[in-house]
Amino acid sequence: INNPKNTSTCKVITITSAECGDGKTLTTGNLGSCFAQLQKKTLLMDCDFRNPSLSALFGLSGRKGLSSLLNLEITLMVLPEEK
C-alpha cells in the first residue's frame, strides 16, 4: 500500500468479509489511523447500516453519517464531528 518504489498510488482501500467478528472495524480504524499519522489524506466510512461501530471506536456519537448524507439531511461540510 505504501511502497516508495511503487509509482502508482492507491486511491481506495475496501475492508470486507463474509462473517461478523472478523475484525473489519478494528482493521479499518488502525489502517486509517496509520495513514492519518503519515499525514495522508484519509477518509474512513462505516457502511454497515445494521451495526455501525466505527464511530464508537473513535469515541464519536455516530448520529450524523453516511445515511444522513444519502438522505440529503446534511452536506459533506457538516460531517466532521467533535469528540
Side-chain angles (χ1 to χ4, degrees):
I1 296 173
N2 194 23
N3 183 353
K5 293 181 181 179
N6 188 358
T7 57
S8 66
T9 58
C10 183
K11 299 288 184 185
V12 177
I13 299 171
T14 302
I15 309 294
T16 186
S17 78
E19 298 292 325
C20 294
D22 283 343
K24 296 176 292 290
T25 299
L26 187 59
T27 300
T28 301
N30 286 336
L31 192 58
S33 293
C34 288
F35 277 115
Q37 288 173 2
L38 291 171
Q39 299 182 355
K40 303 286 185 183
K41 291 182 182 179
T42 306
L43 172 66
L44 297 180
M45 295 178 61
D46 190 347
C47 298
D48 187 345
F49 292 112
R50 290 178 286 160
N51 185 27
S53 53
L54 194 56
S55 58
L57 184 67
F58 290 99
L60 303 172
S61 69
R63 290 175 292 183
K64 296 178 187 174
L66 182 59
S67 61
S68 304
L69 183 65
L70 294 174
N71 286 323
L72 303 176
E73 298 168 4
I74 59 172
T75 64
L76 281 175
M77 298 310 292
V78 299
L79 276 180
E81 182 177 330
E82 296 292 326
K83 285 188 178 183

